[in-house]
Amino acid sequence: MTRLVLVRHGETEWHAENRYAGVSDVALTPRGLEQAGLLAGWAQGAGLSALWSSDLTRARLTASFSAEATGLPLQIDPRLRELDFGRAEGLTRAEMRERFPDALQAFHDDPVSGHLPGGEDPQAAAARFVSCLDDIAARHPDGRVMVVAHTTAIRLVLCHYLSMPLRDYRRVFPSVRNCALTELRLTGGHAALLEFNTPLRGALDACAGDRPQTATARRTITERQTATEDQTAADGQTAADGQTATEDQTRSHR
């Protein structure tokens, strides 16, 4: 029996506009780094036996915090990466509607047979992701393994293991939160869903009784606060410089 904890990476710079990232290497936001730090706090007391990640930067960076907190080596496998969304990479839904409305409608009707133009076939993506998870389970037959990956790949693999049509992945699992916990138990070719999309703060409270933040989480939050304060100070100085320049210019025209 192997327990797999599937985790979506932290928030990225494209999150606010809901742009399709796919295989594009998009950086984490300060909030995404904070989420990675909180995930590390959970991982430190979760009894993990291994830590795996997609090769895309947003997943590797998220997982690296947990690797540091647990002392486990971070193992990378490109089979865990997100789908390639083809012509939709970097676009919002509104931009897709402008550029290829018919293809977008086909995607809404059936996201597998009508997958996004130029993108990866979701059936092939599910097959590679499942093959990786099966290999991980074989390497850790009695372990609890955290796998940091991506939202569409996670939803497809859930459909596979729970014997649901792949075309229903968007309907049954409409979203996966950043750094939320989804856990599967694999036993002799059978799968059980132990939890889905559990918010990280709730998981921390449940498993650790409001355990104090780890050094990793505290450092991440402190770095974010420092960066915010520095930016605020810089903005304030810019405004002050602008006011001084305006006053000087006014005096020169008197």
Side-chain angles (χ1 to χ4, degrees):
M1 179 191 74
T2 304
R3 293 168 65 181
L4 299 175
V5 183
L6 308 179
V7 179
R8 184 188 180 192
H9 56 79
E11 181 186 272
T12 72
E13 293 177 347
W14 285 359
H15 179 87
E17 295 181 313
N18 196 25
R19 294 186 178 277
Y20 277 53
V23 295
S24 301
D25 234 354
V26 186
L28 296 182
T29 62
R31 176 174 170 78
L33 293 172
E34 182 179 22
Q35 291 166 339
L38 291 171
L39 178 63
W42 174 86
Q44 193 171 41
L48 299 176
S49 53
L51 182 59
W52 288 74
S53 172
S54 155
D55 63 332
L56 294 175
T57 300
R58 58 189 184 273
R60 285 192 294 106
L61 182 55
T62 299
S64 69
F65 283 77
S66 293
E68 180 181 343
T70 61
L72 294 170
L74 178 55
Q75 302 180 79
I76 306 295
D77 196 308
R79 290 178 293 173
L80 296 171
R81 61 170 36 203
E82 182 63 292
L83 279 70
D84 183 340
F85 292 127
R87 289 170 57 196
E89 289 276 326
L91 300 183
T92 65
R93 191 68 58 85
E95 290 168 340
M96 291 182 220
R97 191 172 295 112
E98 290 178 0
R99 300 185 188 191
F100 39 85
D102 293 341
L104 181 61
Q105 185 59 52
F107 175 70
H108 287 164
D109 294 341
D110 184 342
V112 174
S113 64
H115 62 81
L116 292 167
E120 183 179 10
D121 182 344
Q123 294 185 77
R128 66 167 164 80
F129 202 96
V130 167
S131 73
C132 185
L133 293 185
D134 286 346
D135 287 348
I136 291 172
R139 290 182 60 170
H140 309 282
D142 298 306
R144 191 184 196 196
V145 182
M146 186 168 84
V147 178
V148 180
H150 308 270
T151 179
T152 301
I154 289 172
R155 291 183 289 168
L156 285 170
V157 82
L158 288 175
C159 286
H160 169 85
Y161 280 126
L162 301 176
S163 301
M164 292 186 285
L166 291 184
R167 65 173 292 168
D168 290 340
Y169 79 87
R170 289 169 54 84
R171 179 182 64 81
V172 178
F173 306 110
S175 65
V176 178
R177 297 182 181 92
N178 294 109
C179 287
L181 307 176
T182 295
E183 187 160 11
L184 286 168
R185 183 179 63 218
L186 302 183
T187 309
H190 300 284
L193 182 62
L194 304 182
E195 64 179 318
F196 173 68
N197 213 16
T198 302
L200 193 55
R201 288 189 183 276
L204 280 167
D205 293 347
C207 75
D210 292 318
R211 180 178 60 228
Q213 295 168 338
T214 64
T216 304
R218 288 196 303 271
R219 183 177 66 249
T220 303
I221 294 168
T222 299
E223 288 173 350
R224 181 188 180 194
Q225 289 171 337
T226 300
T228 302
E229 290 167 359
D230 289 347
Q231 184 61 50
T232 300
D235 292 344
Q237 184 60 51
T238 300
D241 290 345
Q243 180 64 31
T244 300
T246 300
E247 291 171 352
D248 289 345
Q249 187 176 21
T250 301
R251 284 195 296 269
S252 69
H253 288 288
R254 285 177 182 171

